[in-house]
Amino acid sequence: MLKTPYLLFLGDAADPLAAKVAQGVKDWRPDYSVGQYRLADCNADMGLPDLDIKAAAEAGAKTLVVGVANRGGVISDAWIKVFEEALLNGLDIASGLHNLLRDIPSLVSLAEKHKRKLIDVRVPTVEYPIANGKRRSGKRCLAVGTDCSVGKMYTALSMEKVMRERGMKASFRATGQTGILITGDGVPLDAVIADFMAGSVEYLTPDNDPDHWDLIEGQGSLYHASYSGVTMALIHGGAPDALILCHEPTRAHMRGLPEYSLPSLAELRDTAVTLARVVNPDVKVTGASINTSALDDTKARQLLDSIEQELGVAAVDPFRYGADRLVDALA
Amino acid sequence: MLKTPYLLFLGDAADPLAAKVAQGVKDWRPDYSVGQYRLADCNADMGLPDLDIKAAAEAGAKTLVVGVANRGGVISDAWIKVFEEALLNGLDIASGLHNLLRDIPSLVSLAEKHKRKLIDVRVPTVEYPIANGKRRSGKRCLAVGTDCSVGKMYTALSMEKVMRERGMKASFRATGQTGILITGDGVPLDAVIADFMAGSVEYLTPDNDPDHWDLIEGQGSLYHASYSGVTMALIHGGAPDALILCHEPTRAHMRGLPEYSLPSLAELRDTAVTLARVVNPDVKVTGASINTSALDDTKARQLLDSIEQELGVAAVDPFRYGADRLVDALA
């Protein structure tokens, strides 16, 4: 979907957090980028060579990836000027912003003239099929959460990294815009039309070698009233062999829903397994991925121990202690 | 959304089944239609006055409703001629066909010229919100099925009818194109974008009188791999107080999925209640609606008795024996 290598556009990022897409590319696909492009007042730095558009094109860059969230939802004139120069110099542009590249006339006409692509990764471009529920070859692992934003993408990416380091066959399968920009491909699941959600996940995770693992990026939560339908489609479209339960232990309520408390990991396990068995009777919960960033080392280890005892599966914080035991448990 | 009264367009319906949308309007909203329009080779008859367009307009018709499925997915020239005449005579046109009215240039220009509407009920026209999960006043009942097409729409419509006859406050809430054409309003849930599914159901079932019941049309099944995400969004967006379990006892496999067997009613109950409790802790399964059309009277009554004993709730076939006991159970 996206051609590599990238030039990472950091724009006028207010702080490093505003450039989290660029950070994701840097962390998980370090060999994808030839450099970064920063405007004068940029407060983020990926430690990559600062290249102007001409230098990036000469270095072989094929796609300018917008690695920064814009201020107030507007694509500024200063950004557009850079994008125009990128198109003039033969680069595609890829963005996950809410405001679409395709809605900016000067970019559309330049892209047409120079036969370059404007890739708004939030918008599906494929006509996905309706799910057929057929078993596929290869293995699939899906991260499911007690809530949104509890580390599902990080869990899958860190497992993929360990597996590749071990020489295992593994593919992270992106289902959201950040993941798509990081890996260059995927399905923007939250923008897919209801009837085709599960089919788009089948499309994303096709037949593969018997010893190949898809590590499917989770979305939402079965217990999140706003997005549970998306999670459900991931479970039935993904037909996972392995489920990883993801959790943030200090969260006071479901994200965006102050009246809702989080389910327990055991509740999530029972519900997710019941539903996943519909499409894959052999599904197993193989691990728990706990975001312990708010806890000190002693408390974090105590919590992981107690979860491990309660659930009877490996409980780790992959960011803090590595994803190795989550990968061990797949075997 | 649709202005009444209707003129029901039966076209050249090959048989009565092809006119099932028209039949639905006739059955459930008998006072909505001033007449029917049939082409020469029409094999369906709603028993309504046959009116030409002029006579229908004089009788007050505001919307020509396409009550027939078209052959081969194409809107024929013979149909278009009638639709053009309808627009010329001041009628809107409403259709749930896969091919869209808005894609036929002559209709678009006539509608514009005469300020009439082309209403393709398959296509959402509202920008639905993201669900907020807040409790609403009023009561809600949702039909959930062991499979697709097991009588969920019929169950909700027949309960609404009984409730209105008893002077209760009740509104069928359509979530599919047939239901929308029958009642004139609703949400085409299977065409809504993933992130907004649950929000569209909240939008459809807003705050209401404390003694008012929304009877929400179900879609798909939690156990149907292709459409379970849609069902999930209905459960969390609808936040039902009452669930009715719907089932067709002779079905050999899930509709369209030959490798999949149906869940038991007890499995469906446990899964649906667990998920519905997330948004409404007081939810109860109040009844089972069983399509016994393939069984003789003795076998049907035996089956209903045994289901009633097993589940401990009223089990009825509302088509065969009436929906009264399903309504009684709401109290």
Side-chain angles (χ1 to χ4, degrees), chain B residues 58-59 88 108-109 117 127 138 148-149 170 177 187 189 207 214 222 224 240 268 289 314:
Chain B
E58 278 163 23
L88 279 168
V108 171
S109 68
K117 283 194 198 152
E127 286 206 18
C148 301
S149 307
Q177 57 249 25
V187 166
L189 188 57
D207 281 320
D214 280 327
L222 288 171
H224 196 292
L268 173 64
S289 175

Side-chain angles (χ1 to χ4, degrees), chain A:
Chain A
M1 197 163 148
L2 271 59
K3 280 188 280 186
T4 56
Y6 295 164
L7 173 65
L8 285 182
F9 179 76
L10 308 186
D12 38 15
D15 52 42
L17 200 64
K20 73 171 188 172
V21 170
Q23 190 64 52
V25 177
K26 177 72 191 337
D27 289 346
W28 301 110
R29 295 294 187 262
D31 54 335
Y32 269 22
S33 305
V34 294
Q36 63 188 14
Y37 189 108
R38 299 192 292 168
L39 292 166
D41 46 353
C42 181
N43 292 311
D45 184 357
M46 297 302 125
L48 293 164
D50 283 295
L51 301 179
D52 63 18
I53 297 293
K54 279 210 158 45
E58 277 164 23
K62 296 277 184 291
T63 306
L64 179 144
V65 168
V66 180
V68 56
N70 54 350
R71 293 176 186 163
V74 183
I75 300 181
S76 69
D77 289 343
W79 288 24
I80 293 174
K81 225 178 112 187
V82 180
F83 297 173
E84 288 171 354
E85 205 191 335
L87 294 170
L88 278 167
N89 282 274
L91 276 69
D92 294 337
I93 306 178
S95 159
L97 298 175
H98 184 77
N99 290 293
L100 303 181
L101 300 169
R102 67 181 64 175
D103 291 337
I104 299 171
S106 71
L107 298 182
V108 172
S109 69
L110 269 179
E112 207 160 291
K113 190 168 162 198
H114 296 275
K115 305 211 187 311
R116 300 271 62 90
K117 283 192 198 154
L118 301 175
I119 306 159
D120 291 299
V121 300
R122 272 180 189 259
V123 185
T125 50
V126 174
E127 286 205 18
Y128 301 113
I130 285 177
N132 63 28
K134 290 197 195 302
R135 288 301 295 268
R136 284 153 283 160
S137 52
K139 297 281 190 182
R140 282 155 202 89
C141 174
L142 173 67
V144 293
T146 52
D147 193 3
C148 302
S149 307
V150 290
K152 296 186 296 289
M153 186 178 83
Y154 189 96
T155 300
L157 280 164
S158 61
M159 289 177 71
E160 184 208 41
K161 187 160 183 249
V162 169
M163 292 170 87
R164 290 189 172 183
E165 283 165 2
R166 293 187 187 179
M168 297 169 72
K169 298 176 191 165
S171 305
F172 173 78
R173 300 297 190 185
T175 61
Q177 57 249 26
T178 304
I180 295 172
L181 289 171
I182 291 175
T183 60
D185 208 351
V187 166
L189 188 58
D190 62 9
V192 171
I193 286 175
D195 251 3
F196 305 97
M197 292 185 299
S200 75
V201 181
E202 290 186 348
Y203 170 94
L204 181 68
T205 59
D207 281 320
N208 215 316
D209 296 342
D211 58 344
H212 176 278
W213 280 91
D214 280 327
L215 299 151
I216 307 172
E217 181 188 0
Q219 295 291 339
S221 165
L222 288 170
Y223 285 81
H224 196 292
S226 312
Y227 308 116
S228 54
V230 178
T231 314
M232 182 77 258
L234 268 165
I235 291 175
H236 281 174
D241 301 276
L243 291 168
I244 310 284
L245 310 178
C246 298
H247 185 54
E248 205 285 82
T250 65
R251 191 160 298 179
H253 60 75
M254 296 294 283
R255 191 171 163 90
L257 305 177
E259 296 92 346
Y260 286 79
S261 55
L262 274 70
S264 71
L265 281 160
E267 285 175 292
L268 173 64
R269 174 195 62 199
D270 294 345
T271 304
V273 167
T274 300
L275 293 166
R277 272 195 192 129
V278 171
V279 289
N280 188 344
D282 302 324
V283 63
K284 285 193 176 57
V285 169
T286 57
S289 175
I290 313 297
N291 178 347
T292 64
S293 54
L295 307 177
D296 67 29
D297 181 70
T298 311
K299 286 223 169 99
R301 289 181 189 277
Q302 280 171 352
L303 179 71
L304 293 172
D305 279 351
S306 79
I307 291 173
E308 189 151 331
Q309 285 197 359
E310 187 202 344
L311 300 180
V313 296
V316 305
D317 180 335
F319 183 79
R320 198 164 190 169
Y321 306 117
D324 295 81
R325 295 184 60 228
L326 294 177
V327 171
D328 297 342
L330 292 182

Side-chain angles (χ1 to χ4, degrees), chain B residues 15-179:
Chain B
D15 52 42
L17 200 64
K20 73 171 187 171
V21 169
Q23 190 65 52
V25 177
K26 178 72 191 337
D27 289 346
W28 301 109
R29 296 292 186 263
D31 54 335
Y32 269 22
S33 306
V34 294
Q36 63 187 14
Y37 188 108
R38 301 192 291 168
L39 292 165
D41 45 354
C42 182
N43 292 312
D45 184 356
M46 298 302 126
L48 292 164
D50 283 297
L51 301 180
D52 64 18
I53 297 292
K54 277 209 161 41
E58 278 163 23
K62 295 276 184 291
T63 307
L64 179 143
V65 168
V66 180
V68 55
N70 54 349
R71 291 177 188 162
V74 182
I75 301 183
S76 70
D77 289 343
W79 288 24
I80 293 174
K81 225 178 114 189
V82 179
F83 297 172
E84 289 170 353
E85 205 191 336
L87 293 169
L88 279 168
N89 282 273
L91 277 68
D92 294 338
I93 307 178
S95 159
L97 297 176
H98 184 77
N99 290 292
L100 303 182
L101 299 169
R102 67 182 63 175
D103 291 337
I104 300 171
S106 71
L107 298 182
V108 171
S109 68
L110 269 181
E112 206 159 292
K113 190 169 162 197
H114 296 275
K115 307 212 185 310
R116 299 273 61 91
K117 283 194 198 152
L118 302 175
I119 305 160
D120 291 299
V121 300
R122 273 180 188 260
V123 185
T125 51
V126 173
E127 286 206 18
Y128 300 114
I130 287 178
N132 62 28
K134 290 197 194 303
R135 289 303 294 270
R136 284 152 284 161
S137 51
K139 298 281 191 184
R140 282 155 203 87
C141 174
L142 174 67
V144 292
T146 52
D147 192 5
C148 301
S149 307
V150 290
K152 295 188 294 292
M153 184 178 84
Y154 189 96
T155 300
L157 281 164
S158 61
M159 289 178 70
E160 184 208 41
K161 188 162 184 245
V162 168
M163 293 171 85
R164 291 189 172 185
E165 284 165 0
R166 291 186 188 182
M168 298 169 71
K169 297 175 189 164
S171 306
F172 173 78
R173 300 297 190 184
T175 61
Q177 57 249 25
T178 304

